[in-house]
Amino acid sequence: MRIDILTIFPEMFDGPFSHSIIKRAKEKGLVEIHLHDIRDYSTNKHKRVDDYPFGGGAGMVMMIEPIADCIDKLKAEREYDEVIFLTPDGELLDQPCANKLSLLNNVIMLCGHYKGIDERLRQHYITKEISIGDYVLSGGELAAAVLCDSMIRIIPGVIGDETSALSDSFQDGLISPPVYTRPADYKGWKVPDVLLSGHEKNIDEWRHEQAVKRTKERRPGMV
Ligand code: 6GU
């Protein structure tokens, strides 16, 4: 998978993409992430990428030209499956959505700022709009990092233990059951006996019951 991210804050991605699973995915050659500073595509001498909204009102709007030029350049180099705009009014990201997106080859992600982006970009360039939840962030960067993580971690081969990503909460429509590790008794707080029993069938049953119980309690709409 190749992901091209258009942003005015490329440094914001330094942290999230240089550790843990995404770092390993990059090292294994399973994903390439390319950051593009939208300001590099500004033709304005002050490198401006935003301007006042027509019709007046508060806030600035991200201009069409620098973003369109950057996307045009990328599209001339390869075919893209989706051009995703990260925006609070987009489709809500959930596990099925991340699963589908993890199958794509080439993806562009556009991080918005200010009051929004010129509507003509949404009409003529954007193929998908995604939000990571019903709250407002300062910009699309953190949302893009979240979206990338959710897509990349489930690419086959990224997580060593193949079953691990599939047993995540939400992957089977259930929240994951509780987990424990040593010591079996910490100051009198004991691990459930069944997990120490070595009885695989009982353990599987217990885990499933716990998953259903948790899902009913925490996400009643899911079961
Ligand atoms: Cl994608 N962008 C912003 N600015 N805020 C958000 C979001 C995206 N998703 C949830 N809140």
Side-chain angles (χ1 to χ4, degrees):
M1 177 186 293
R2 175 185 167 118
I3 303 174
D4 289 272
I5 300 177
L6 279 58
T7 169
I8 52 170
F9 295 121
E11 304 81 18
M12 280 186 75
F13 295 91
D14 291 350
F17 293 163
S18 35
H19 301 279
S20 182
I21 289 172
I22 299 197
K23 179 184 180 194
R24 197 156 13 113
K26 289 199 295 187
E27 286 167 357
K28 284 188 183 172
L30 294 168
V31 67
E32 269 179 47
I33 302 172
H34 298 266
L35 294 162
H36 306 275
D37 189 339
I38 296 167
R39 283 188 205 285
D40 293 343
Y41 292 82
S42 172
T43 50
N44 183 291
K45 70 169 180 273
H46 304 292
K47 297 227 168 208
R48 271 187 55 183
V49 292
D50 62 325
D51 209 336
Y52 295 97
F54 279 125
M60 304 294 277
V61 177
M62 289 178 81
M63 300 158 73
I64 191 165
E65 285 119 321
I67 294 169
D69 288 353
C70 182
I71 297 176
D72 285 341
K73 177 168 172 278
L74 291 170
K75 281 184 171 174
E77 292 163 0
R78 68 194 63 75
E79 294 241 344
Y80 284 90
D81 304 302
E82 298 281 9
V83 181
I84 300 174
F85 177 43
L86 280 307
T87 176
D89 61 356
E91 176 190 336
L92 281 177
L93 177 63
D94 59 9
Q95 194 59 54
C97 175
N99 291 351
K100 261 181 257 160
L101 294 172
S102 77
L103 302 172
L104 303 180
N105 291 318
N106 298 318
V107 189
I108 292 174
M109 294 184 191
L110 171 61
C111 305
H113 263 272
Y114 314 113
K115 200 73 201 142
I117 60 171
D118 190 302
E119 185 64 19
R120 291 165 292 186
L121 281 164
R122 296 172 85 155
Q123 290 167 338
H124 300 288
Y125 282 90
I126 302 301
T127 60
K128 201 172 195 55
E129 303 192 329
I130 291 182
S131 162
I132 63 161
D134 285 337
Y135 42 82
V136 178
L137 301 170
S138 312
E141 281 76 11
L142 293 175
V146 167
L147 175 62
C148 285
D149 190 291
S150 74
M151 290 161 60
I152 292 167
R153 63 188 304 286
I154 50 179
I155 295 173
V158 168
I159 294 182
D161 173 1
E162 287 300 335
T163 61
S164 174
L166 292 175
S167 65
D168 289 337
S169 279
F170 301 108
Q171 203 49 278
D172 55 2
L174 292 174
I175 287 175
S176 296
V179 293
Y180 299 85
T181 187
R182 287 184 289 182
D185 184 339
Y186 176 74
K187 298 181 179 171
W189 301 338
K190 297 204 173 67
V191 171
D193 286 337
V194 62
L195 297 178
L196 310 174
S197 68
H199 196 303
E200 212 172 312
K201 187 165 164 285
N202 288 358
I203 293 171
D204 285 348
E205 274 172 20
W206 181 84
R207 285 187 169 148
H208 183 70
E209 282 163 22
Q210 292 289 318
V212 171
K213 180 168 172 276
R214 282 211 161 172
T215 309
K216 281 184 180 154
E217 284 165 4
R218 296 172 189 219
R219 293 290 184 280
M222 267 170 74
V223 278

